[in-house]
Amino acid sequence: MQYLTQALLALVIMLILRKFYRQYQNDFYLLWSWSWLALFANMLGSCISLANAFLLPLDHPFRITISIVTVTASFLQILWLYSGTLEISRSRKLNRKLVKAISYSIVPLAILLVFLSFNNPDAGSFRILYRVGIKSLLAGIVFISCSFLLLRMTNTGIGIRFIIFSFLFYGLLQGNYFIETFLELYEKDYPLEVPYFAAGVIDIFLQALMGLGMIISVLEVEQHNLKKANTELDTFLYRSSHDLRAPLTTISGIISIIRSIDDPDKKEEYFNAIQDRLIQADNVIRDIITLRKGQKTDLQIDQVDLKEEVSKEFESLIDPNNGSPKLVIDAAENTRLYTDAARLHTILTNLLSNAIKYHHQADQAEIKVKISKADKGYHVALSDNGPGIDEKHLPKIFDMFYRAHRSSNGTGLGLYLVKDALETMGGSIEVSSEKGMGTTFRIHLVDHGANHS
């Protein structure tokens, strides 16, 4: 009855998490749902094994097959739960090929554990150790590790706290099961042995709390995302309408002035002013289109040479007749990676154009780009020796429509687009600056080559 209850509980939670995954497309929901599916298979297999314990011999093919399925499912549950927890705690995707490879390697391991002493009627304790005890030891280590991973998260609601609590105590309980199983081999008394019925009730309680925590955490994450989206939408509507209306109002005023003057030179000057305002409005519209397109478009992975892309973007942005700064690139020998080329273009264009725009008008003006190999990708440090950014502005420069320099004629969307593109690609960005000494942006680009097919 205990196994059947756990199987039904796992099935319900799996279906709820799958529903969340289809709606929100967060991969850790999918991995968690797989872990519950594996638990369902494990408990269902245990029910079948228990029902046939006295009907079929130990070496019957059906009993062996069910045991292999059950052991495999128990290890897959641990793997997928750990993978999903890693993703939510680190806010980035894992290497899917690695997860698949480990999943496939579990099958031969399960076969080996099942066939150890499978036909020896006197080796019951050893069979339990191989098929249950080892799994309990690994589960104990993994669940306790997962609880500490979640503890490191900065924003933890009630759902994550439920998960941390249930993971920690479930891990301790699984470790206790292993000690019981191990000592049973030597017929040793164990003072912390949990009675079978009580252990079943505690298992069901902790699994129910675990599932409830996961469901609540999903709702909390999506509620946070919704609040953030609403705030950004309000800011977007207000600022975009203002930034589009301002140049149109100016153009209207300039046209009124043009009608009242006859001087051709003055008219030309005002026509140039109109053109500047039209370019300003066009830049706002272009950035809005880029933002919307980036939010609706999935990653399109291609191989690019990072060093070449930096050089090309710089050459396309500079004006040789306007005192452009010098570009200095310090790069590793091989800077090829698989990434989203369009989003990379957005990142490099905005960072380089800012560095060019705010460089010192002097012979020694330069932009330095250092590209170094990093874990699962590349680190790129882009530095200029321009006027720098006041410290009070640094926490806000990636906000939508924020301008650190009052004299800036930009849209205020550039750095927001950079951060949005990097987060979509699984990367990150940091900034450091000193007034009068320049600014350095440090970005981490993920190489999606391992997941490229």
Side-chain angles (χ1 to χ4, degrees), residues 179-226:
I179 296 173
E180 287 182 31
T181 306
F182 184 78
L183 292 179
E184 193 174 312
L185 290 175
Y186 303 98
E187 299 180 352
K188 300 287 186 181
D189 292 332
Y190 182 51
L192 297 179
E193 183 175 351
V194 183
Y196 180 77
F197 177 76
V201 171
I202 296 172
D203 271 356
I204 293 172
F205 170 74
L206 290 175
Q207 288 168 1
L209 188 63
M210 202 182 298
L212 178 63
M214 289 181 179
I215 292 168
I216 293 174
S217 70
V218 169
L219 296 176
E220 288 177 332
V221 166
E222 298 310 326
Q223 183 185 39
H224 171 75
N225 291 340
L226 183 60

Side-chain angles (χ1 to χ4, degrees), residues 332-382:
E333 291 184 7
N334 178 19
T335 59
R336 289 189 172 275
L337 77 160
Y338 284 95
T339 189
D340 188 308
R343 286 183 169 90
L344 180 63
H345 168 75
T346 298
I347 294 165
L348 295 178
T349 296
N350 282 287
L351 292 180
L352 287 170
S353 63
N354 279 349
I356 293 169
K357 185 188 302 181
Y358 298 112
H359 78 275
H360 278 310
Q361 298 292 330
D363 293 336
Q364 70 273 23
E366 64 180 16
I367 297 171
K368 295 181 180 179
V369 178
K370 183 175 181 180
I371 304 171
S372 55
K373 195 77 176 72
D375 181 35
K376 300 179 182 177
Y378 287 88
H379 287 318
V380 181
L382 191 150

Side-chain angles (χ1 to χ4, degrees), residues 78-296:
I78 297 167
L79 170 66
W80 290 334
L81 182 131
Y82 184 68
S83 301
T85 305
L86 266 180
E87 287 205 353
I88 189 176
S89 63
R90 296 184 178 180
S91 300
R92 71 184 188 199
K93 293 182 179 180
L94 297 178
N95 185 323
R96 283 292 179 269
K97 286 189 175 180
L98 178 61
V99 174
K100 285 182 180 178
I102 297 174
S103 301
Y104 293 144
S105 69
I106 285 173
V107 178
L109 174 62
I111 293 172
L112 174 64
L113 293 175
V114 168
F115 274 94
L116 288 172
S117 304
F118 78 100
N119 60 353
N120 184 355
D122 298 323
S125 296
F126 281 97
R127 281 198 302 276
I128 294 174
L129 177 67
Y130 298 146
R131 302 180 188 186
V132 180
I134 293 175
K135 182 272 296 184
S136 296
L137 175 62
L138 183 60
I141 295 171
V142 168
F143 275 90
I144 292 173
S145 300
C146 286
S147 68
F148 282 104
L149 281 174
L150 295 176
L151 272 171
R152 294 168 57 189
M153 293 177 63
T154 53
N155 297 319
T156 56
I158 188 67
I160 294 295
R161 291 180 191 141
F162 278 178
I163 298 173
I164 292 171
F165 176 85
S166 57
F167 275 7
L168 181 59
F169 281 92
Y170 192 78
L172 292 172
L173 192 63
Q174 291 295 314
N176 196 60
Y177 291 159
F178 169 75
I179 296 173
E180 287 182 31
T181 306
F182 184 78
L183 292 179
E184 193 174 312
L185 290 175
Y186 303 98
E187 299 180 352
K188 300 287 186 181
D189 292 332
Y190 182 51
L192 297 179
E193 183 175 351
V194 183
Y196 180 77
F197 177 76
V201 171
I202 296 172
D203 271 356
I204 293 172
F205 170 74
L206 290 175
Q207 288 168 1
L209 188 63
M210 202 182 298
L212 178 63
M214 289 181 179
I215 292 168
I216 293 174
S217 70
V218 169
L219 296 176
E220 288 177 332
V221 166
E222 298 310 326
Q223 183 185 39
H224 171 75
N225 291 340
L226 183 60
K227 286 181 178 179
K228 180 183 175 184
N230 284 336
T231 301
E232 290 182 347
L233 180 61
D234 289 342
T235 303
F236 173 77
L237 290 174
Y238 172 76
R239 292 301 302 270
S240 60
S241 59
H242 174 270
D243 285 3
L244 286 173
R245 189 172 182 272
L248 295 178
T249 302
T250 303
I251 289 172
S252 178
I254 293 173
I255 290 174
S256 299
I257 296 173
I258 291 175
R259 285 175 176 165
S260 63
I261 61 174
D262 297 322
D263 187 343
D265 293 334
K266 278 288 184 183
K267 284 188 175 182
E268 182 66 22
E269 180 182 338
Y270 285 125
F271 282 135
N272 289 335
I274 290 175
Q275 186 177 31
D276 289 340
R277 298 305 183 276
L278 288 174
I279 292 172
Q280 183 181 347
D282 182 65
N283 287 338
V284 174
I285 294 171
R286 183 198 62 206
D287 282 351
I288 291 172
I289 292 172
T290 300
L291 175 61
R292 187 58 180 160
K293 184 178 178 181
Q295 291 175 336
K296 293 181 69 69

Side-chain angles (χ1 to χ4, degrees), residues 278-339:
L278 288 174
I279 292 172
Q280 183 181 347
D282 182 65
N283 287 338
V284 174
I285 294 171
R286 183 198 62 206
D287 282 351
I288 291 172
I289 292 172
T290 300
L291 175 61
R292 187 58 180 160
K293 184 178 178 181
Q295 291 175 336
K296 293 181 69 69
T297 306
D298 294 332
L299 290 177
Q300 303 293 324
I301 304 300
D302 295 298
Q303 189 182 46
V304 299
D305 188 306
L306 192 51
K307 182 179 178 180
E308 289 182 6
E309 291 300 314
V310 171
S311 297
K312 284 195 298 184
E313 293 296 340
F314 180 78
E315 291 297 329
S316 68
L317 292 169
I318 61 170
D319 181 359
N321 301 317
N322 194 30
S324 296
K326 176 184 177 183
L327 177 66
V328 178
I329 300 179
D330 177 8
E333 291 184 7
N334 178 19
T335 59
R336 289 189 172 275
L337 77 160
Y338 284 95
T339 189

